[in-house]
Amino acid sequence: MAQTESVSVQVVRKVADCEGVDPTALQPPLQAVIDTDALDSLFRLGDETTHADGVVEFTYKGYSVTVDSTGRVDVAQPRASNDCTSGETTE
């Protein structure tokens, strides 16, 4: 089944879940931290021909965010032993 949300939307949703807030309430917005257009283009929905191999890692709101070549988005607290949203993939 194909993903229905872009990678950047998944990141915002998962960090908001960890923070216990509405995604629109996150400050700073994700696009102030990373180029969301570039992130989404690396892991474009349903475009297997331009599928990127690799991993992108960055920090947002104190969380370590990892996006892999399958489009999986993991959000973890850097000093915590457990991921906040480990292993969830939106399908």
Side-chain angles (χ1 to χ4, degrees):
M1 190 177 260
Q3 293 175 325
T4 57
E5 293 180 317
S6 68
V7 169
S8 60
V9 169
Q10 290 181 63
V11 169
V12 169
R13 184 180 51 78
K14 289 181 178 195
V15 170
D17 287 347
C18 291
E19 293 280 298
V21 300
D22 186 87
T24 60
L26 289 177
Q27 290 297 322
L30 182 61
Q31 60 267 28
V33 175
I34 190 168
D35 183 335
T36 54
D37 290 334
L39 180 65
D40 290 339
S41 71
L42 284 172
F43 306 105
R44 187 164 289 129
L45 299 173
D47 191 352
E48 297 299 322
T49 60
T50 60
H51 185 74
D53 288 327
V55 175
V56 173
E57 298 177 331
F58 59 95
T59 302
Y60 178 51
K61 304 265 313 150
Y63 296 92
S64 293
V65 177
T66 305
V67 182
D68 71 17
S69 59
T70 66
R72 176 180 166 155
V73 175
D74 289 316
V75 175
Q77 295 177 345
R79 291 178 288 281
S81 59
N82 295 330
D83 287 348
C84 180
T85 57
S86 177
E88 290 182 23
T89 303
T90 301
E91 294 190 32

